[in-house]
Amino acid sequence: MKIWQRRIAGLILVVICGAGTLAQQGEDARARRIHFSSVVMDTHIDVTPKLQTDWKFTDEHATGHIDLPRMRKGGLNALFFSIFMPGTVTGPKAVSDSLERIAAVHKLARDLPDQVRLCTTAAEVEQAQREGKIAALIGMEGGHMINNSLPTLRMYAKLGVRYLTLTHSLNTDWADSSGESAKHNGLTAFGKQEVEELNDLGVMVDVSHVSDKTFWDALATSRAPLIASHSSCRAISGHARNMTDEMIRALAAKGGVIQINYLDSYLDQTLYEYSRKAQPLMREMMQKYPGRENQAKWREEVAKVHGPAPRVSWEKIIEHIDHAVKLAGIDHVGLGSDFDGGPMPSGMDDVTHLPKITEALVRRGYGDDAIRKILGGNTLRLMRAVEGVARYR
């Protein structure tokens, strides 16, 4: 090749590379515009226990996944604070402890009136966004906390609870969990009454954590569409907490939404299989070193026996979103991270990394409206549908 030909080829390459860079810059700018102008809602975050300590929501922390400054950086402007306790805590203590956690969320909103708004409806979430405030909502993770009492459930609804996860990892007296062997073959007669009461109260029926049979019973019983507040796709990772393709389609057919969970073992089959193998030792370590702050210690001890856990990339989240959209349609997929509830995949280290999800969806060809639906619009639509069937609130 002659010198002049080489120079022309070089110029062409520069132009092509420059065009590629400009296109990438355009995509990045579009993703940022979409992300930071949308209602970005996460339906399951486990930060609530920290609100009951000296930990400050308004400070930026080097540990954990979420606080107010990092939410602002990541564009998360609406979240469900999870009211959680183990299924082994039952009876009056479960009720009193849950009331303390609900009170902590209320106090947060009272203490930060210019930054946080306690919300119970879709309209209030949208108003909070217009005001530049964080929309704080409340979800209750486990039916054991109602203590087998409809009046207690009504009290929680009055206090702002807007979804009830029918079970946590253990069966309740009226519903089977995905976490242990079936006791009731799904929902009991009282369990079905609970679902009907949730409909009447305008509280979403949450089917994350439940057994497959409980899911089908709840779907058949409920007048309103259901939410899976933090579940991913079992076709990609076989965790029992995830939903089968058939379940995802049925959830969508009734108007419901699957909120993709980010926990690494819920995203990746190889890690899930490793976790199953290591589970007995992991439980032993959890008892020996209690408290979620010791998760790194648990994993370190398990790795000594089973080797290091496989690494999972944050891009697996996008794979689950794509799979769910193909099954259910764009109107039935949202985000339910489980931040502060367990290990995140590599690259989704905390809430500041959320814009990556929007950037990835832009690169995969999702339109602006479709992305806004996944970020929060689908959950708002679901909330309105549940509000619409309520008989009293």
Side-chain angles (χ1 to χ4, degrees):
M1 182 181 290
K2 295 181 179 179
I3 293 176
W4 67 270
Q5 290 174 319
R6 286 199 297 269
R7 287 176 177 172
I8 290 174
L11 286 171
I12 291 171
L13 183 61
V14 168
V15 170
I16 292 172
C17 291
T21 301
L22 288 173
Q24 181 64 57
Q25 290 174 348
E27 287 184 345
D28 291 347
R30 178 182 159 223
R32 184 171 182 80
R33 173 179 56 78
I34 295 168
H35 191 85
F36 287 94
S37 65
S38 297
V39 171
V40 181
M41 180 182 287
D42 190 317
T43 54
H44 193 86
I45 290 181
D46 278 313
V47 72
T48 317
K50 293 181 182 179
L51 302 181
Q52 298 174 274
T53 69
D54 293 336
W55 181 90
K56 293 188 182 301
F57 186 65
T58 51
D59 290 350
E60 185 165 347
H61 299 269
T63 59
H65 298 143
I66 188 165
D67 48 51
L68 184 57
R70 285 184 287 174
M71 285 180 68
R72 296 294 191 190
K73 291 179 181 180
L76 182 66
N77 53 23
L79 74 160
F80 277 80
F81 285 88
S82 174
I83 308 303
F84 159 79
M85 66 195 61
T88 51
V89 180
T90 58
K93 179 170 175 54
V95 177
S96 61
D97 287 1
S98 66
L99 289 174
E100 292 291 340
R101 292 198 172 173
I102 291 170
V105 179
H106 281 253
K107 184 178 186 299
L108 179 71
R110 286 198 310 272
D111 290 348
L112 302 171
D114 296 331
Q115 299 185 74
V116 178
R117 175 173 178 161
L118 187 65
C119 297
T120 60
T121 67
E124 289 172 354
V125 172
E126 291 171 329
Q127 181 62 33
Q129 187 208 20
R130 289 192 291 270
E131 295 170 352
K133 298 179 183 179
I134 300 297
L137 302 102
I138 301 174
M140 180 164 279
E141 189 181 17
H144 58 289
M145 284 179 273
I146 71 168
N147 193 26
N148 300 333
S149 166
L150 291 177
T152 301
L153 178 60
R154 294 175 193 131
M155 173 186 67
Y156 289 144
K158 286 288 187 183
L159 291 172
V161 170
R162 283 300 173 265
Y163 73 67
L164 176 71
T165 317
L166 299 181
T167 71
H168 190 243
S169 296
L170 300 177
N171 299 333
T172 68
D173 290 335
W174 44 272
D176 288 332
S177 167
S178 64
E180 61 177 346
S181 299
K183 179 180 178 181
H184 310 294
N185 189 33
L187 284 176
T188 68
F190 181 74
K192 293 174 183 177
Q193 191 177 357
E194 289 285 351
V195 169
E196 292 168 350
E197 186 71 13
L198 289 167
N199 290 167
D200 288 344
L201 292 166
V203 176
M204 291 182 286
V205 177
D206 179 21
V207 292
S208 290
H209 277 289
V210 305
S211 72
D212 289 8
K213 182 58 164 58
T214 299
F215 165 80
W216 291 111
D217 286 352
L219 190 75
T221 303
S222 179
R223 302 191 316 274
L226 311 181
I227 186 171
S229 68
H230 54 306
S231 295
S232 293
C233 305
R234 206 179 297 175
I236 301 174
S237 174
H239 201 294
R241 278 268 309 281
N242 288 342
M243 302 184 75
T244 68
D245 288 2
E246 184 183 12
M247 293 164 73
I248 294 169
R249 290 191 189 98
L251 180 80
K254 196 158 186 168
V257 180
I258 177 173
Q259 313 282 156
I260 300 301
N261 187 319
Y262 307 169
L263 291 182
D264 53 9
S265 64
Y266 294 58
L267 297 174
D268 182 79
Q269 180 65 20
T270 302
L271 179 58
Y272 166 62
E273 291 171 357
Y274 171 94
S275 300
R276 287 188 68 187
K277 179 177 65 174
Q279 190 175 62
L281 179 58
M282 178 64 78
R283 285 177 175 167
E284 182 182 328
M285 292 302 103
M286 291 169 72
Q287 291 179 351
K288 186 175 181 179
Y289 307 103
R292 285 179 171 173
E293 67 275 9
N294 289 313
Q295 287 179 0
K297 179 66 174 176
W298 304 341
R299 292 194 292 272
E300 177 184 331
E301 294 300 315
V302 167
K304 291 178 182 177
V305 176
H306 296 286
R311 297 277 288 174
V312 179
S313 167
W314 70 272
E315 291 172 311
K316 274 287 185 177
I317 298 169
I318 309 303
E319 185 178 339
H320 282 260
I321 291 173
D322 273 344
H323 185 80
V325 168
K326 288 171 185 173
L327 290 172
I330 195 62
D331 296 320
H332 303 284
V333 182
L335 305 176
S337 67
D338 227 332
F339 277 140
D340 274 349
M344 292 287 118
S346 177
M348 191 54 63
D349 305 302
D350 63 19
V351 70
T352 64
H353 293 267
L354 276 182
K356 289 180 178 178
I357 293 176
T358 303
E359 291 165 6
L361 295 176
V362 166
R363 289 195 297 271
R364 292 193 178 213
Y366 284 79
D368 292 22
D369 289 345
I371 295 171
R372 292 184 194 278
K373 287 180 177 183
I374 293 169
L375 293 178
N378 288 336
T379 310
L380 292 175
R381 189 265 309 157
L382 173 60
M383 289 177 66
R384 286 194 172 91
V386 174
E387 292 164 19
V389 305
R391 291 177 175 163
Y392 48 85
R393 296 186 65 193

